[in-house]
Amino acid sequence: MKTLKDAKVGQTLTVVRLNGTGPLKRRIMDMGITKGTEVYIRKVAPLGDPIETTVRGYELSIRRADAEMIEVE
Amino acid sequence: MSVKIALAGNPNSGKTTMFNDLTGSNQRVGNWPGVTVEKKEGRLKGRSDVIIQDLPGIYSLSPYTLEEVVARSYLVGEKPDAIINIVDGTNIERNLYLTTQLIELGIPTVVAVNMIDVVRKNGDVIDLKKLGSALGCEVVATSALKGEGSKEAAARAAALAEEKRGLSAPSVFEGSVEHAIAHIEESIEGLVEPRFLRWYAIKLFERDGKVMEELHLDRALADHIEEHIADCEEELDDDSESIITNQRYAYIAKVVSQAVKKKHTGRKMSVSDKIDRIVTNRILALPIFVAIMAGVYYISIGSVGDWTVGFMNDTLFGEWITGGLTALFEGWNVAPWLSGLVIEGIVGGVGAVLGFVPQMLILFLLLSILEDVGYMARVAFIMDRIFRKFGLSGKSFIPMLIGSGCGVPGVMASRTIENERDRRMTIMTTCFIPCGAKLPIIGMISGAFFDNAWWVATSAYFVGVAAIIVSGIILKKLRAFAGDAAPFVMELPPYHSPAASNVLRATWERGWSFIKRAGTLILLSAVVIWFLQAFGVTSAGFGMVEDNNDSLLAAIGGAVAFIFAPLGFGIWQATVGVVGGLVAKENLVTIMAVCYGFAEVGETGEEIWGILNTTFTPIAGYSFMVFNLLCAPCFAAMGAIKREMNSPKWTVGAIGYMCGFAYLVSLMIYQFGGLITGELSFGLGTVAAIVVLAGLLYMLLRKNRYSEYGGELSVNAAKKDVKVNA
């Protein structure tokens, strides 16, 4: 299954599923990444991590390790 | 009867600006009990019976972050009469997510759609009436920056508060979820305050750990509720927390599609996007970052800042105040002990600390601007990769860079780190970087033992950086740091020009809290040290001593000097130097020189190089230097640590850690170094050093027993700090 971690800059993806539990998952959802949300990959930080995305009309940065929990298509 | 209005909203929604706009100068700044989250309270301008309580900027009312728990406890426990919920109109979807949670509390709420000027400029239209009826509360358009609408929002909130009319929340959730929540409401009726019934029911549906603990439901009831939740989860094939979040956002999406008309639906480059394309560009980001940091450093530490420190310490405190007081006291024939206490003890000690205030104000001004503009979030974005390896935050770079000039503003710069764990770790490690006042120590050792070799100073910085990295890796595995790690899921707010009032206010608040500290803790410490070094027992009995060698400090130094024997400098002069370094690190050289009978020496104590060289071996000298670089910083910096930790336990822990770490590192340097040069033979000291090394390696290499985001742990860690009021 493809996750947000492997996404390429410039892609727009749809969230299929969120894995994991507890504070991290809740935080990701609280920030607006829920099932069916469109996520646009804007850029990657100069050192390769984290990545910057556009979600629900604003900019959100997320570490690759955390992005792995987000299944997309 | 006064009215209490809570100000709630997301970070970057303009909440601070509105708070300042509403309260003007009638503000009280403190901390929420037991935590380092800032608490601001003020009286509404022109209505002294209305108290505005600023809540921390939050995205949600989850039980997982300290800020959110603080806000929840306040809303449920203190029961404000009304809420003003500030919503960023340019980012309305995510901002309304918090709104859907606030309205469940049943407290009269006014939604202030802020930054309405930007919304209009973008050509977007927000239908306030539709929005209001969908949310079941009043909606006001505001632009806090332009002073538009804030007063109206406050007036509405005050009116609602006086009406004491509860708020009826709309049905945000779909059939089966509403059904389950209704069942839970029914079963806990009478157990909670009626107006919070829905809130508690939804929290129970989410299996919110804090609420479950607070309510102490009996087994049968808990099982009954669990049944409803499980049924709903099965039907919707998701966990209850996710169901609630998903349906909130689904409801918001529906509301927004009806009430908001966007002019540009596609992805259009805004000015902020264009700036960001350069500032966080893969190639340009780091050079721009270095340039901005160099600029901040140059202004605050190098040029203007250095001039103010020189002026404050040498001219204001050194000449004018000291000179004036000396003349005055001589004229009055004041007893020498009193004039000594005032001039050397109080003015000398407190002056050394207050001398940093203008420099700190300059630094804070620059940092506040960077923060207000939105660059700080980018700093974290750019530097995160490097620092998170050591358990620190991307923003830790700033305190450490500033710390190379002076640890006091360095420690205080850690304020910009939101996450408590990262902030504490940064505070504990920032002072390892050699600050300006430690340079004379490096100069003294380098000159006395190593013929001023270039590598001594370089190695001092290397030791500092290594100490930070090693400490980061060790500390992040400790239980105290394991719990409350916040995930790095961070908003990058759009850039905007800084608001002068916000910047100046933030600068002044930080500076003032430091000045207050200087007047209490630091004053006391300075007086104690002065007393110890000025008084002593001589043949004439107890009294003031001419010769420092007769002082109480020298006696104490001699008594405890053996502690430093394994480090190679177990003589009282060195011990007194270490203690004197606590008042101000640059004092160390002078104090040691005084101990050796020199009244006046150069900055790096050239006069005593010869004596040192014959008393210590080079290895012992180096060990002495490293100990003084890493151990507890000066009183001013310790005061800053206490201020920022806001907890006696953490302050003592941080300073204890620094001293212990310094001791062990110096022990290894002296013992292993001595063994290599042949000045020491294998003995007890060597064994101790080997044990320390083995222990250090174990701490460095062992696996982290606590997961990076300990779910249960974080709840417990937060629980210790904040008591949820029923």
Side-chain angles (χ1 to χ4, degrees):
Chain A
M1 190 67 211
K2 192 178 172 187
T3 69
L4 197 61
K5 186 191 172 197
D6 317 307
K8 303 262 173 322
V9 173
Q11 283 181 321
T12 304
L13 300 152
T14 307
V15 177
V16 183
R17 213 182 119 81
L18 286 164
N19 295 311
T21 50
L24 178 58
K25 183 181 183 187
R26 174 68 185 260
R27 173 79 165 178
I28 289 174
M29 292 191 304
D30 279 348
M31 296 305 278
I33 301 187
T34 55
K35 224 184 274 182
T37 313
E38 277 199 353
V39 181
Y40 168 69
I41 317 294
R42 279 171 72 95
K43 68 163 71 100
V44 174
L47 300 166
D49 197 17
I51 55 176
E52 186 184 336
T53 64
T54 303
V55 182
R56 295 186 189 272
Y58 79 99
E59 317 312 327
L60 182 72
S61 73
I62 183 165
R63 282 181 186 154
R64 282 182 191 273
D66 302 337
E68 200 175 1
M69 295 171 47
I70 304 165
E71 287 183 15
V72 289
E73 61 174 22
Chain B
M1 216 4 227
S2 68
V3 172
K4 249 192 293 182
I5 298 175
L7 207 55
N10 283 186
N12 311 307
S13 61
K15 200 162 60 65
T16 309
T17 315
M18 183 170 298
F19 180 70
N20 291 341
D21 194 26
L22 290 177
T23 60
S25 53
N26 309 315
Q27 295 186 7
R28 264 210 351 244
V29 186
N31 279 68
W32 293 91
V35 292
T36 50
V37 179
E38 197 171 69
K39 178 180 185 175
K40 281 188 180 178
E41 197 183 271
R43 283 176 194 278
L44 181 61
K45 263 194 267 180
R47 286 280 309 264
S48 60
D49 60 326
V50 178
I51 296 170
I52 310 266
Q53 174 67 61
D54 190 27
L55 294 178
I58 46 173
Y59 294 108
S60 170
L61 290 177
S62 89
Y64 298 124
T65 76
L66 214 51
E67 284 78 8
E68 290 171 10
V69 173
V70 163
R72 275 168 51 144
S73 316
Y74 178 80
L75 290 170
V76 180
E78 306 278 314
K79 305 182 193 75
D81 302 299
I83 300 173
I84 298 177
N85 173 213
I86 299 159
V87 165
D88 176 358
T90 63
N91 180 5
I92 198 158
E93 226 174 299
R94 200 212 52 225
N95 273 259
L96 286 179
Y97 177 70
L98 177 67
T99 311
T100 63
Q101 300 182 56
L102 290 171
I103 54 181
E104 279 157 12
L105 288 159
I107 300 169
T109 301
V110 173
V111 172
V113 178
N114 199 22
M115 308 199 191
I116 197 74
D117 53 321
V118 185
V119 173
R120 286 185 201 129
K121 219 170 88 189
N122 292 345
D124 301 342
V125 181
I126 299 176
D127 187 331
L128 302 178
K129 273 218 180 74
K130 270 190 190 155
L131 197 60
S133 64
L135 297 169
C137 52
E138 294 199 27
V139 181
V140 181
T142 63
S143 168
L145 206 58
K146 304 243 154 84
E148 182 194 330
S150 306
K151 278 186 197 71
E152 197 196 336
R156 292 274 192 91
L160 283 182
E162 277 154 2
E163 275 177 44
K164 295 215 179 296
R165 187 155 46 93
L167 174 139
S168 59
S171 298
V172 171
F173 308 108
E174 278 164 25
S176 53
V177 182
E178 280 294 350
H179 185 76
I181 291 171
H183 269 291
I184 298 174
E185 276 183 21
E186 215 170 89
S187 39
I188 58 167
E189 214 165 354
L191 294 174
V192 298
E193 210 177 311
R195 69 157 133 181
F196 293 133
L197 187 62
R198 185 174 170 83
W199 191 78
Y200 275 109
I202 293 168
K203 288 292 148 193
L204 283 175
F205 184 81
E206 286 181 318
R207 296 200 187 89
D208 185 295
K210 282 198 187 312
V211 162
M212 296 214 284
E213 196 180 306
E214 182 196 329
L215 291 181
H216 284 301
L217 299 177
D218 64 62
R219 195 56 185 267
L221 190 55
D223 287 346
H224 175 69
I225 290 172
E226 181 58 37
E227 225 169 89
H228 283 296
I229 303 173
D231 282 351
C232 201
E233 283 180 326
E234 202 183 306
E235 191 190 320
L236 295 167
D237 186 30
D238 213 341
D239 62 283
S240 64
E241 217 175 2
S242 305
I243 291 171
I244 292 286
T245 312
N246 282 339
Q247 296 204 353
R248 279 190 206 284
Y249 267 115
Y251 181 77
I252 293 164
K254 203 175 76 197
V255 170
V256 168
S257 74
Q258 287 166 359
V260 182
K261 283 202 178 56
K262 293 225 175 213
K263 195 176 172 195
H264 303 278
T265 41
R267 212 162 267 120
K268 187 184 147 271
M269 287 282 275
S270 65
V271 179
S272 177
D273 291 340
K274 284 175 192 153
I275 298 173
D276 222 19
R277 217 166 66 169
I278 300 166
V279 171
T280 58
N281 179 284
R282 277 203 90 153
I283 297 154
L284 294 175
L286 287 172
I288 290 174
F289 173 70
V290 169
I292 290 176
M293 288 303 127
V296 169
Y297 187 89
Y298 178 74
I299 296 171
S300 64
I301 307 289
S303 55
V304 186
D306 189 52
W307 178 82
T308 62
V309 172
F311 171 78
M312 291 290 283
N313 283 347
D314 301 339
T315 314
L316 181 65
F317 286 104
E319 286 172 26
W320 297 353
I321 295 182
T322 307
L325 284 175
T326 312
L328 197 66
F329 287 169
E330 272 169 15
W332 289 350
N333 280 326
V334 170
W337 68 267
L338 184 61
S339 89
L341 171 70
V342 173
I343 294 170
E344 289 161 34
I346 297 176
V347 176
V350 176
V353 173
L354 288 184
F356 292 112
V357 168
Q359 184 190 40
M360 272 171 25
L361 291 178
I362 294 167
L363 175 79
F364 289 151
L365 182 71
L366 297 175
L367 291 183
S368 302
I369 291 172
L370 288 182
E371 218 177 338
D372 209 49
V373 162
Y375 188 68
M376 281 299 186
R378 271 76 188 183
V379 169
F381 178 69
I382 295 167
M383 299 303 286
D384 177 67
R385 174 112 203 222
I386 300 176
F387 280 87
R388 75 150 195 265
K389 285 210 167 72
F390 319 128
L392 297 164
S393 142
K395 291 184 184 174
S396 305
F397 181 84
I398 293 158
M400 283 163 192
L401 177 86
I402 304 296
S404 68
C406 174
V408 176
V411 167
M412 298 193 75
S414 67
R415 275 257 149 151
T416 57
I417 303 170
E418 296 89 5
N419 180 249
E420 184 162 58
R421 181 189 101 130
D422 293 351
R423 187 169 60 233
R424 281 180 175 155
M425 192 115 68
T426 306
I427 295 168
M428 280 174 99
T429 50
T430 291
C431 289
F432 285 150
I433 291 280
C435 69
K438 289 173 184 166
L439 295 183
I441 305 174
I442 299 172
M444 177 177 81
I445 298 297
S446 169
F449 300 102
F450 304 104
D451 201 17
N452 283 321
W454 62 271
W455 59 263
V456 180
T458 313
S459 72
Y461 285 94
F462 181 77
V463 166
V465 173
I468 290 174
I469 294 174
V470 169
S471 299
I473 296 173
I474 291 176
L475 291 174
K476 79 170 179 183
K477 294 177 191 167
L478 294 183
R479 199 191 166 95
F481 285 101
D484 32 9
F488 188 84
V489 182
M490 188 187 66
E491 178 187 6
L492 295 172
Y495 292 97
H496 61 85
S497 47
S501 62
N502 284 356
V503 167
L504 292 175
R505 199 180 287 271
T507 305
W508 174 244
E509 274 164 15
R510 291 171 187 179
W512 177 239
S513 71
F514 180 75
I515 296 170
K516 277 193 290 195
R517 185 70 51 192
T520 52
L521 178 89
I522 297 170
L523 174 71
L524 186 72
S525 317
V527 169
V528 169
I529 292 279
W530 172 83
F531 173 77
L532 290 176
Q533 61 95 28
F535 282 80
V537 184
T538 54
S539 50
F542 181 80
M544 275 186 95
V545 290
E546 287 287 313
D547 187 350
N548 260 33
N549 292 354
D550 297 327
S551 70
L552 289 174
L553 195 60
I556 296 169
V560 299
F562 70 92
I563 294 174
F564 297 116
L567 276 51
F569 49 92
I571 55 169
W572 74 266
Q573 289 94 337
T575 312
V576 171
V578 170
V579 178
L582 297 180
V583 178
K585 288 283 170 181
E586 66 266 32
N587 274 1
L588 185 143
V589 173
T590 333
I591 287 184
M592 278 188 78
V594 169
C595 292
Y596 282 114
F598 290 87
E600 293 255 325
V601 290
E603 201 191 352
T604 55
E606 294 84 354
E607 292 80 354
I608 60 168
W609 288 1
I611 302 174
L612 289 177
N613 205 343
T614 50
T615 325
F616 298 117
T617 62
I619 297 288
Y622 194 79
S623 152
F624 179 69
M625 178 185 85
V626 169
F627 182 82
N628 280 294
L629 296 185
L630 300 182
C631 78
C634 61
F635 282 134
M638 285 194 255
I641 290 173
K642 180 159 188 295
R643 170 79 189 83
E644 293 309 309
M645 287 290 193
N646 192 33
S647 139
K649 193 185 85 189
W650 277 96
T651 308
V652 171
I655 293 166
Y657 174 79
M658 288 179 220
C659 292
F661 187 78
Y663 190 88
L664 297 178
V665 169
S666 296
L667 177 78
M668 286 192 289
I669 289 175
Y670 181 62
Q671 294 295 339
F672 292 136
L675 210 59
I676 292 166
T677 57
E679 64 193 72
L680 290 175
S681 52
F682 195 91
L684 210 60
T686 326
V687 176
I690 291 171
V691 171
V692 170
L693 182 64
L696 203 64
L697 288 175
Y698 168 74
M699 294 294 278
L700 273 177
L701 301 174
R702 74 176 175 148
K703 261 182 77 124
N704 197 348
R705 284 196 291 134
Y706 305 98
S707 72
E708 199 121 330
Y709 312 111
E712 197 47 45
L713 268 172
S714 89
V715 175
N716 289 335
K719 188 176 69 206
K720 263 185 289 171
D721 292 328
V722 185
K723 212 170 152 260
V724 181
N725 298 307

